[in-house]
Amino acid sequence: MMPTGPGVVACVCVGCLLFFGILSKFRPKSWEEDEFQFYIDKFNKSYVNETEYQQRFLAFKKSLEMIEIMNKNRTYQTSALYGVTAFSDMLQSEFEDLRLQKNYAERMALRQANNAGSNEKLHRFRRDFTDANLPRKIDWRTQGALTPVNNQHECGACWAFSAIETIEAAHWLRTGELRPLSTQQMIDCARNGNNGCRGGDICTLFEWLVDNDVAIRPADDYPLHLRDEQCKKLTSVGNATTASESKTDVRVTNFVCMDMIGKEDDLLAGIGRMGPVAVAVNAISWQNYLGGVIQHHCGSHPALMNHAVQIVGYDLEAEIPHYLVRNSWGEEFGHQGYLKIAIGGNLCGIVNEVAAVEVT
Ligand SMILES: *[C@@H]1O[C@H](CO)[C@@H](O)[C@H](O)[C@H]1NC(C)=O
Ligand SMILES: *[C@@H]1O[C@H](CO)[C@@H](O)[C@H](O)[C@H]1NC(C)=O
Ligand SMILES: *[C@@H]1O[C@H](CO)[C@@H](O)[C@H](O)[C@H]1NC(C)=O
Ligand SMILES: *[C@@H]1O[C@H](CO)[C@@H](O)[C@H](O)[C@H]1NC(C)=O
């Protein structure tokens, strides 16, 4: 007879391999579910039941797809790298609801309409802001000008964090003293359209602080609770320490708020001279940001603005010249809480709304 036996067996086996190979390739279970299990362990996630597990798994798979697309545009070793983060088990819409401020653009538009033509007194200040020789790189962190990275959790007060951080830095520049100031006071007390954990705007906050000559309390005196509470008037509270308390108040005496589209060189000069600035951004694509310089996938249209952060420096010597940006999503995010955004293209809308302050 013929030696067909082994031949047939071999054929069947190759067939089996092909068959199962194809099956497993098109069966989503294998590697994605493995990845998800790894993710659950790594980020210490727990889901209440199978329904939630499946929802999170679906969102996770969408994140994996997005990550793959976004990483395709990496052009340099130092380009932004995307991967799974603590937020990767959320749908983009959930991320937007929980971490971003959907109404930021509306608030910005309102302010711009209200403020049209009221900029005269800012002329001198603005000239200061943009008039300087340009160092090749600046990192205010290394100067000791900054407090530690904040974590806003699910309180939508990014606007208060970035504004207070910017006031702290301005106070440091003027006095040499780094004093943590109360973000909770802004959450509870700021008016002028600002609304605590439900949202606000850096520029209307600065306007409110100047117009009302608000004494900003030290963070210790008015601690962070990350929820909307009754505004506490602390200025005249206290007995033995009234005098020293009033000495520790910081006030914003002037501010500038403008778009710097096409004027990013001026912004760099401003950061060099006046220190960190508060800015509005579109942070939707930061959901899966691991690190590196963002050059793509970060729309700049004013209608997309949904978050506020702080620019704390820049680097023109880097392979991809970029801003150093402090976020308020804890130290686990990005580069120990910071991220890098390429200079020059209004990426993420980072120069749509730039604000700097003068303080006492
Ligand atoms: C993991 O999460 C549980 C509850 O969600 C918590 O009690 C525990 O401390 C966490 N462990 C770590 C290492 O984060
Ligand atoms: C799973 O948990 C969610 C949230 O607690 C709940 O709304 C839902 O009814 C639960 N589903 C099942 C099948 O138990
Ligand atoms: C990203 O890369 C794809 C092709 O890989 C290209 O079609 C697309 O235009 C790029 N997007 C950006 C924002 O550069
Ligand atoms: C300040 O006043 C409160 C009550 O008004 C009192 O309990 C407290 O002992 C006083 N502190 C000092 C240092 O006098």
Side-chain angles (χ1 to χ4, degrees):
M1 298 295 282
M2 283 168 286
T4 47
V8 168
V9 169
C11 283
V12 167
C13 280
V14 169
C16 288
L17 285 176
L18 277 175
F19 182 65
F20 288 114
I22 287 163
L23 250 195
S24 63
K25 190 173 174 198
F26 288 102
R27 212 173 45 193
K29 202 171 174 189
S30 54
W31 71 271
E32 282 163 318
E33 210 152 349
D34 281 352
E35 287 283 317
F36 192 46
Q37 198 50 56
F38 183 73
Y39 175 80
I40 288 169
D41 295 342
K42 178 170 176 197
F43 289 93
N44 193 19
K45 298 276 183 176
S46 61
Y47 305 125
V48 290
N49 57 30
E50 180 65 17
T51 314
E52 198 201 358
Y53 176 91
Q54 291 301 339
Q55 279 169 358
R56 298 283 142 236
F57 184 39
L58 184 77
F60 180 78
K61 284 189 286 188
K62 285 196 190 299
S63 285
L64 291 183
E65 283 169 24
M66 221 148 30
I67 287 164
E68 198 189 336
I69 291 169
M70 291 169 80
N71 279 338
K72 282 206 173 117
N73 294 78
R74 305 187 73 225
T75 40
Y76 297 91
Q77 200 58 34
T78 50
S79 293
L81 180 67
Y82 299 90
V84 293
T85 69
F87 310 126
S88 300
D89 61 349
M90 293 180 190
L91 293 172
Q92 201 172 61
S93 55
E94 292 175 289
F95 178 68
E96 199 174 7
D97 284 344
L98 286 176
R99 287 293 164 153
L100 303 176
Q101 193 182 306
K102 275 180 158 174
N103 57 15
Y104 205 102
E106 289 157 40
R107 290 175 187 279
M108 258 176 76
L110 255 168
R111 178 189 56 75
Q112 278 157 3
N114 290 342
N115 277 13
S118 71
N119 287 329
E120 258 175 71
K121 68 172 180 176
L122 297 172
H123 268 350
R124 187 189 60 78
F125 193 54
R126 181 178 291 155
R127 213 171 36 243
D128 281 354
F129 186 67
T130 58
D131 176 24
N133 294 320
L134 206 56
R136 300 297 293 163
K137 61 199 274 189
I138 286 175
D139 182 349
W140 286 108
R141 288 175 299 185
T142 64
Q143 313 287 309
L146 308 183
T147 50
V149 166
N150 288 298
N151 195 338
Q152 66 181 86
H153 295 280
E154 286 168 19
C155 167
C158 55
W159 55 280
F161 282 104
S162 69
I164 285 292
E165 289 162 3
T166 299
I167 295 166
E168 287 166 347
H171 178 75
W172 177 87
L173 268 158
R174 214 185 64 72
T175 65
E177 180 208 20
L178 184 61
R179 178 186 308 153
L181 296 170
S182 175
T183 303
Q184 188 65 40
Q185 185 189 5
M186 304 302 112
I187 292 172
D188 295 349
C189 306
R191 298 289 170 262
N192 204 19
N194 293 299
N195 204 2
C197 290
R198 282 164 291 171
D201 171 81
I202 47 182
C203 295
T204 54
L205 173 59
F206 288 144
E207 191 175 53
W208 178 76
L209 289 168
V210 171
D211 289 354
N212 296 285
D213 191 29
V214 176
I216 305 169
R217 305 300 303 140
D220 283 350
D221 285 8
Y222 201 135
L224 190 62
H225 294 147
L226 292 175
R227 55 175 187 260
D228 296 314
E229 293 179 337
Q230 194 78 34
C231 176
K232 297 170 213 36
K233 300 265 180 242
L234 291 185
T235 38
S236 55
V237 170
N239 18 31
T241 54
T242 310
S244 69
E245 270 186 9
S246 65
K247 219 179 84 190
T248 63
D249 289 335
V250 174
R251 289 179 161 81
V252 178
T253 51
N254 204 348
F255 76 100
V256 62
C257 181
M258 55 188 159
D259 88 62
M260 301 197 75
I261 300 164
K263 291 179 271 188
E264 292 189 44
D265 282 351
D266 289 345
L267 173 57
L268 300 182
I271 294 166
R273 265 193 60 161
M274 314 239 337
V277 295
V279 294
V281 287
N282 163 22
I284 195 77
S285 70
W286 301 4
Q287 183 179 1
N288 298 304
Y289 173 82
L290 294 182
V293 184
I294 295 177
Q295 302 166 275
H296 304 289
H297 308 292
C298 214
S300 63
H301 194 281
L304 299 173
M305 299 296 100
N306 50 29
H307 191 41
V309 291
Q310 187 189 33
I311 305 179
V312 305
Y314 62 81
D315 189 346
L316 294 173
E317 286 173 352
E319 187 175 37
I320 311 166
H322 57 265
Y323 298 106
L324 294 168
V325 178
R326 167 155 63 157
N327 200 1
S328 51
W329 296 346
E331 287 184 352
E332 297 75 35
F333 174 82
H335 296 274
Q336 283 85 49
Y338 289 79
L339 60 161
K340 300 175 182 178
I341 298 179
I343 293 169
N346 190 18
L347 275 154
C348 311
I350 195 163
V351 291
N352 283 340
E353 183 182 71
V354 178
V357 291
E358 276 177 351
V359 302
T360 55

